[in-house]
Amino acid sequence: MTILEEFAEAGVLAPADVHVATTLGRLGGEADDGVLLAAALATRAVRLGSVCLPLSRLRDVAVDGDDEVDLDALPWPDGDDVRAALRRSPLVVGASSGPLRPLRLVDDELLYLDRYHRQEETVRAILDARAGAAPGVDPDVLRDGLRRRFPEPGPDRQRLAAAVSVLGQTTVLAGGPGTGKTYTVARILALLFDQHGSELRVGLAAPTGRAAAQLAGEVRTQGAELGLPREIPAQTIHRMLGFKPGSASRFRHDASNHLPYDVVVVDETSMVSLTIMCRLLEALRPDARLILVGDPDQLASVDAGAVLGDLVARGVTRAPSAAVEELLVEESARAGGEEAAVDPAEALDARRGVVRLRRGRRFTGALGDLADAVRRGDADRVIELARSGGGGAIDWCDPDDTDGLRADVAAAGAATVAAARDGHAPEAAKAVQLHRVLCAHSEGPSGVTRWAQLAEEWAGVRIGGGFGWYAGQPLLVTANDYDAKVYNGDVGVVIAHGGDPADLRAAFARGGDVALLYPNQLVAVRTVYAMTIHRSQGSQYEAVSVVIPPADSRLLTRELLYTAITRARQRVRLLGSEEALRAGVERRVLRASGLRSGG
């Protein structure tokens, strides 16, 4: 048995990891076991979201499953021997037989698949080239605009973020739920229209169709108040870049065919992979402003990379303008208001083009405290808050104690079906957002399949069995449909239009409105009583019940718990053991990357 087969049998490597390593070894003339194992682990790292493999953490792997695996018993090669073999490997240094160099060894520590190394280098080079101040800013116009759009006394990080975004070529606007990120974006656009007039070309984008639609709707609502000169549509990043038939990573807009926009705003940037960020930066005009918006504490992209977190740590500006320095002095000197003074660390971040919004304007109280404790990794505080109940905002119970969950599901189902059968679309669309069961896994004892079946039984909505449409049926869209204007992640509900049970429609909330579609117009939709936490990103519910997987689950991380908890507006239920809850708070997503260096 080869070393790759042993690691595969133990569950460390997947068949795809072994296939890539053996193919590279055969094509590149490499037979060293240590090099082949490193190549397989580098492939595994990308599959699990990292951009590269840190050789000092070669053994830092986790294996899901019921069977106990003694990782120490596996034939791990010596780390120094692996480094030495990689330094001379034809897969790294090339060979006389051809130019194939599929692996890159950086600083004798980070091992990359070549594709991801090139993408990371491209991102770094473009950000460095964009790292100066934005030209053509009238400071008097900016000051007047800031006074009008941000009149609150005292320090205001929204005002600071807006000013930094106008004064810089690239800005990162970070913040948790309810901190006013989109509110700030709308005012940034107003300030930019003040500077450049109504002909300013603005592109709004997000990783998903649903997030793009939400961004466009919120900017539209804010724009009416601000007097923006026109409605600004939003689209997915893929759609903005322009699909190329037959390619998932190459687009019509690229380094030789730039996007036409003067300003590009990307929302939900935590979900953007390294590959897509690379393609977006290549497609930007060098003089265009880029504003990246998101919550770096949420789950990162399902593909390789944690770009937003890397950029928050790295910074995106190296030479802030004198106007930024003046603004920081003014903000630090402001008194009054509801925010604390801008501290030296925040001032340093602002000089580097990064502003984090801290003041929660919607997500406060016990839920805010719980989310903040999870974000900080304070397991003791999380346990304390969970036990206290947070004045009714937090319910912590064993996964077998389902009485409260059953009652919530039944109540939400009853409210939904009552409105749906009466044909009251707005009420039904609101009721379907009252409660949602969130799971880390798709399958298994703590997975969506099991808990969705239980929740559907508890809701008692379906009449007469079968698989047809029925009033009160909660719906989840699973793919973008631009013709019907529904997007992956949209949640809706089937209603009896006009109270007629024979005339069923699917209702989807659209800001203050409700869109009605015939169910047969929906080409990618399923019934949803439970969903994965990953898929819930960007959604909000009055209450959520979080099914916490066992402590040894590889998916159970701080970022996962934070994302789940922050989906709730009013109340969260945690179904899991203390061991699992502590493990989730203490375990971070470790996505290896070299992007943070050199910033």
Side-chain angles (χ1 to χ4, degrees):
M1 183 181 294
T2 67
I3 188 172
L4 295 182
E5 290 171 339
E6 287 190 64
F7 276 77
E9 187 173 276
V12 174
L13 298 177
D17 307 329
V18 175
H19 174 73
V20 170
T22 55
T23 300
L24 292 180
R26 185 177 68 254
L27 295 177
E30 177 59 80
D32 184 278
D33 279 345
V35 171
L36 295 180
L37 177 61
L41 290 173
T43 306
R44 176 187 189 272
V46 168
R47 182 167 53 80
L48 297 181
S50 289
V51 174
C52 55
L53 172 71
L55 296 179
S56 60
R57 297 193 346 234
L58 204 64
R59 300 188 182 207
D60 187 14
V61 298
V63 179
D64 278 341
D66 297 328
D67 297 332
E68 290 290 331
V69 178
D70 185 1
L71 294 175
D72 290 333
L74 291 172
W76 294 98
D78 180 78
D80 290 337
D81 290 344
V82 172
R83 282 184 172 85
L86 284 168
R87 289 188 209 111
R88 61 177 181 267
S89 172
L91 300 182
V92 174
V93 300
S96 58
S97 58
L100 180 68
R101 291 179 60 200
L103 301 180
R104 294 297 180 103
L105 181 61
V106 176
D107 296 332
D108 216 32
E109 166 62 13
L110 301 180
L111 183 66
Y112 289 80
L113 300 181
D114 179 64
R115 167 188 172 187
Y116 294 96
H117 179 258
R118 286 185 283 110
Q119 289 176 357
E120 192 175 274
E121 287 297 291
T122 298
V123 168
R124 181 182 288 107
I126 294 175
L127 288 174
D128 287 347
R130 296 175 51 85
V137 178
D138 186 323
D140 293 330
V141 172
L142 176 58
R143 288 178 184 279
D144 177 65
L146 291 171
R147 280 194 295 269
R148 289 185 290 113
R149 268 83 186 220
F150 299 94
E152 289 190 17
D156 187 343
R157 286 159 182 80
Q158 292 182 339
R159 179 171 55 226
L160 177 62
V164 169
S165 297
V166 172
L167 292 166
Q169 286 289 97
T170 310
T171 312
V172 176
L173 172 55
T179 53
K181 296 188 294 293
T182 309
Y183 174 96
T184 306
V185 165
R187 279 151 182 79
I188 291 170
L189 297 179
L191 294 170
L192 290 171
F193 279 117
D194 290 345
Q195 292 284 333
H196 302 287
S198 61
E199 298 306 309
L200 185 76
R201 292 166 294 182
V202 177
L204 303 180
T208 67
R210 184 171 187 273
Q214 286 183 323
L215 175 62
E218 293 177 22
V219 169
R220 183 190 312 117
T221 301
Q222 297 287 336
E225 173 191 341
L226 294 169
L228 295 184
R230 62 180 181 277
E231 183 173 323
I232 306 171
Q235 54 195 319
T236 65
I237 302 173
H238 286 75
R239 202 170 175 87
M240 173 183 279
L241 292 174
F243 292 99
K244 270 190 174 181
S247 175
S249 61
R250 291 291 175 181
F251 301 92
R252 182 166 53 85
H253 289 290
D254 55 21
S256 60
N257 180 29
H258 287 144
L259 290 163
Y261 304 111
D262 304 305
V263 181
V264 172
V265 179
V266 180
D267 198 13
E268 298 287 0
T269 308
S270 65
M271 300 166 65
V272 178
S273 69
L274 175 67
T275 298
I276 296 304
M277 182 59 70
C278 178
R279 301 296 175 244
L280 176 64
L281 289 172
E282 287 176 323
L284 282 178
R285 294 198 337 250
D287 61 338
R289 283 181 177 83
L290 175 63
I291 302 167
L292 302 173
V293 185
D295 185 351
D297 298 308
Q298 282 192 27
L299 287 165
S301 163
V302 295
D303 295 318
V307 178
L308 182 63
D310 286 342
L311 297 187
V312 167
R314 178 188 193 274
V316 292
T317 299
R318 291 189 175 184
S321 66
V324 170
E325 297 292 346
E326 293 175 14
L327 183 79
L328 287 169
V329 171
E330 292 177 9
E331 285 295 323
S332 300
R334 288 180 183 272
E338 298 187 31
E339 294 194 39
V342 176
D343 63 38
E346 290 179 294
L348 175 61
D349 282 343
R351 293 185 183 97
R352 296 160 58 245
V354 178
V355 179
R356 185 189 284 265
L357 305 182
R358 291 186 172 183
R359 178 184 165 197
R361 290 165 163 79
R362 182 184 71 226
F363 193 71
T364 56
L367 279 186
D369 292 342
L370 181 65
D372 185 60
V374 171
R375 183 185 63 81
R376 292 183 287 103
D378 188 344
D380 289 339
R381 178 61 173 157
V382 169
I383 298 298
E384 177 187 351
L385 287 165
R387 284 177 174 155
S388 75
I394 305 168
D395 180 21
W396 182 25
C397 56
D398 188 271
D400 295 328
D401 181 7
T402 59
D403 290 347
L405 172 57
R406 183 170 186 159
D408 277 353
V409 170
T416 302
V417 77
R421 289 176 179 170
D422 289 341
H424 295 155
E427 290 86 347
K430 183 177 181 181
V432 82
Q433 307 277 2
L434 288 174
H435 178 268
R436 184 67 70 239
V437 179
L438 303 180
C439 305
H441 294 266
S442 296
E443 304 295 338
S446 56
V448 167
T449 299
R450 174 181 180 240
W451 288 90
Q453 182 178 357
L454 289 172
E456 185 169 6
E457 292 172 1
W458 295 334
V461 174
R462 188 188 295 273
I463 301 297
F467 298 96
W469 303 104
Y470 55 93
Q473 179 180 8
L475 303 175
L476 175 68
V477 177
T478 57
N480 294 333
D481 185 340
Y482 294 98
D483 292 332
K485 295 184 179 179
V486 293
Y487 306 101
N488 189 6
D490 273 349
V491 172
V493 60
V494 177
I495 67 164
H497 189 233
D500 181 358
D503 184 11
L504 298 179
R505 307 287 176 89
F508 294 90
R510 290 286 179 265
D513 300 323
V514 176
L516 294 179
L517 301 169
Y518 289 102
N520 60 11
Q521 289 180 262
L522 302 171
V523 297
V525 68
R526 65 176 177 83
T527 303
V528 58
Y529 284 95
M531 64 199 308
T532 63
I533 297 167
H534 275 85
R535 191 176 281 277
S536 74
Q537 284 184 274
S539 300
Q540 289 277 291
Y541 301 94
E542 292 305 306
V544 299
S545 293
V546 185
V547 181
I548 302 174
D552 61 356
S553 167
R554 180 176 50 81
L555 295 182
L556 180 58
T557 64
R558 183 183 306 174
E559 291 80 2
L560 182 100
L561 287 179
Y562 174 85
T563 301
I565 290 166
T566 55
R567 298 313 93 202
R569 293 190 182 96
Q570 301 292 333
R571 188 163 51 88
V572 65
R573 174 179 292 103
L574 303 171
L575 292 98
S577 67
E578 178 173 342
E579 178 191 18
L581 185 54
R582 283 187 178 276
V585 174
E586 293 170 354
R587 183 186 298 130
R588 301 212 64 178
V589 172
L590 296 176
R591 291 202 165 188
S593 161
L595 188 57
R596 296 188 181 208
S597 64

